[in-house]
DNA sequence: CTTTCACCGGACAGGTTGCCCAGTGAAAAC
DNA sequence: GTTTTCACTGGGCAACCTGTCCGGTGAAAG
C-alpha cells in the first residue's frame, strides 16, 4: 500500500479546489463549471480517491463550537522504550486530536484541546499522568492566522506537473 | 460572529460520526440508519452547520500523495512587532499548511510539508528567509500514531451534554 | 497504419433532494 | 390547569442527480 506519489494535472487541481470551496456540489454541476463531460469528472474523482490523493469528505468539526475553544501543542519527552505504551495511552484521550513522533527537542508532539485554560490543566495532567512521559512542554495557541489548508499546495502540485510534462 | 459553544446531543453526535465514517452518505440513508425521520436529520444537519459545529465537507487531501511526504513542525521566534508581516509572509508559502501564534517557547508554530528531507531545507529557507524571524527550531515528523481526529471528542461532547440534562 | 486511451455527448432507470403539510406529544409558559 | 411552543413524524410532490452504459472522436503510442 505504498502510494507512489501520483501527480495531478490542472483539471485534477481545479476539481479539488472546486470541491473545497463548495463541498456539497455534485459531479454534474462540477462538470458544468469546469466545462468538461460529466463522465470525465467522475473518472477523475474516482482516480483521485483510489490514488489516495483525496482521502474522503469527512465533516470538518470545529472543536470550539463543541465547547473546546482552547488549543495547545505539547512536546513530550519519552522514556526510552516506552513509546508504544505512550502512544496507546494518548490515543485513549479524546482531547488529543493528533500525535506525531518527531526528531529534535522532545520525542512527540501532540495537539490538545480543552474547555478552558483551567480545563487544559486537567487534560495535561491526564496526558502526562503516565509512566514513560518524562517531561512535557506546552504551548497554548492564541491565534490561528493560517488555519489548516491544502489548496495552495494542490495548486502548486498541479502547476508543477504541468511544467514537468512535454 | 462569536460562536457561543453550542452543545450537541446524542443524535447530533451519531449524525457526525456516521458522516465521518461514510461521508458520501445521503440524508435519506442517514435517517434510515438512525431510525428517525428524514426531516429531522435534515434539520439537525442544517443546525449543526449554521451553529458552526460542522464547518463543511471539504475534501481531505493527502500531501504525501501529492508528492509531499515529509511533514515538519517549526517553532519560530519573531522580532517584536513583526508579527503581522511574518504572518503575511508565511501565508504566501504553499508548504505552510497551518500557522499558530502561541505562548511559551517561541512565538509561532507552523506545520510544513516538503517533497523530501532535502526539499525541506528549501522550504525552511523560504520560511525563515524573512526579516522578523529571529530563530527557528524544526522537528521532523517520523510517525503519525494519531492522525488528526475529532470523533472521540464529538462522542465525549455528546455524552457530556446528556449528563448535563435533566 | 493500428491500437490504446481519455474524453465527449447522450440516454436510461432509480434514487435522492428540497420543500411543503398536518398531526402528535412533551415541555415550557401563562 | 390550560395554552403555546417546538421538535419530530410520516407522507407527498416535482425536479434533479447518480450510476451506468453506449458509440464516436482525436491524439498519442506502438
Amino acid at each position: 500500500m505504498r502510494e507512489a506519489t501520483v501527480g495531478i494535472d490542472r483539471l485534477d487541481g481545479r476539481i479539488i479546489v472546486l470541491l473545497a470551496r463548495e463541498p456539497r456540489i455534485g459531479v454534474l454541476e462540477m462538470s458544468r463549471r469546469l466545462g468538461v463531460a460529466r463522465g470525465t469528472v467522475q473518472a477523475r474523482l474516482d482516480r483521485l480517491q483510489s490514488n489516495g490523493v483525496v482521502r474522503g469528505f469527512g465533516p470538518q468539526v470545529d472543536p470550539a463550537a463543541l465547547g473546546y475553544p482552547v488549543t495547545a501543542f505539547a512536546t513530550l519527552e519519552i522514556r526510552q522504550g516506552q513509546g508504544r505504551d505512550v502512544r496507546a495511552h494518548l490515543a485513549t484521550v479524546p482531547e488529543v486530536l493528533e500525535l506525531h513522533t518527531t526528531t529534535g527537542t522532545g520525542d512527540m508532539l501532540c495537539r490538545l484541546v480543552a474547555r478552558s485554560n483551567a480545563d487544559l490543566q486537567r487534560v495535561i495532567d491526564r496526558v502526562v499522568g503516565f509512566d514513560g512521559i518524562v517531561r512535557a512542554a506546552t504551548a497554548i495557541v492564541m491565534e490561528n492566522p493560517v488555519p489548516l489548508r491544502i489548496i495552495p499546495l494542490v495548486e502548486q502540485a498541479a502547476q508543477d506537473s504541468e511544467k514537468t510534462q512535454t
Side-chain angles (χ1 to χ4, degrees), chain A:
Chain A
M1 285 281 275
R2 188 99 274 104
E3 81 270 305
T5 289
V6 200
I8 64 173
D9 66 9
R10 278 222 161 72
L11 182 54
D12 289 325
R14 291 171 67 204
I15 290 176
I16 294 175
V17 171
L18 197 51
L19 228 29
R21 283 203 231 289
E22 301 174 55
R24 273 326 210 189
I25 203 176
V27 175
L28 185 56
E29 180 61 20
M30 265 193 275
S31 71
R32 281 196 281 256
R33 302 222 195 151
L34 298 175
V36 296
R38 178 166 70 108
T40 304
V41 175
Q42 230 151 12
R44 293 299 192 108
L45 249 187
D46 288 347
R47 214 196 51 190
L48 285 173
Q49 295 203 58
S50 50
N51 266 350
V53 174
V54 172
R55 284 248 172 110
F57 301 86
Q60 298 162 331
V61 179
D62 180 10
L66 279 183
Y68 294 81
V70 177
T71 297
F73 287 92
T75 304
L76 308 177
E77 198 173 313
I78 312 300
R79 201 190 316 284
Q80 278 288 357
Q82 301 286 289
R84 183 170 302 278
D85 299 322
V86 172
R87 282 195 284 273
H89 164 62
L90 292 178
T92 67
V93 181
E95 287 91 350
V96 173
L97 262 35
E98 61 181 321
L99 171 66
H100 304 269
T101 64
T102 66
T103 67
T105 315
D107 304 303
M108 294 190 184
L109 178 64
C110 67
R111 177 197 299 249
L112 309 171
V113 292
R115 293 188 172 282
S116 65
N117 283 342
D119 185 53
L120 181 58
Q121 187 59 56
R122 176 187 62 80
V123 175
I124 293 176
D125 286 346
R126 182 162 171 199
V127 163
V128 304
F130 187 81
D131 254 21
I133 297 186
V134 176
R135 194 168 35 190
T138 309
I140 300 178
V141 172
M142 294 186 291
E143 233 187 310
N144 185 204
V146 179
L148 194 49
R149 66 179 184 183
I150 193 70
I151 291 187
L153 195 69
V154 168
E155 287 169 340
Q156 178 76 40
Q159 284 187 8
D160 286 358
S161 74
E162 288 296 311
K163 291 173 194 161
T164 305
Q165 288 183 7
T166 299

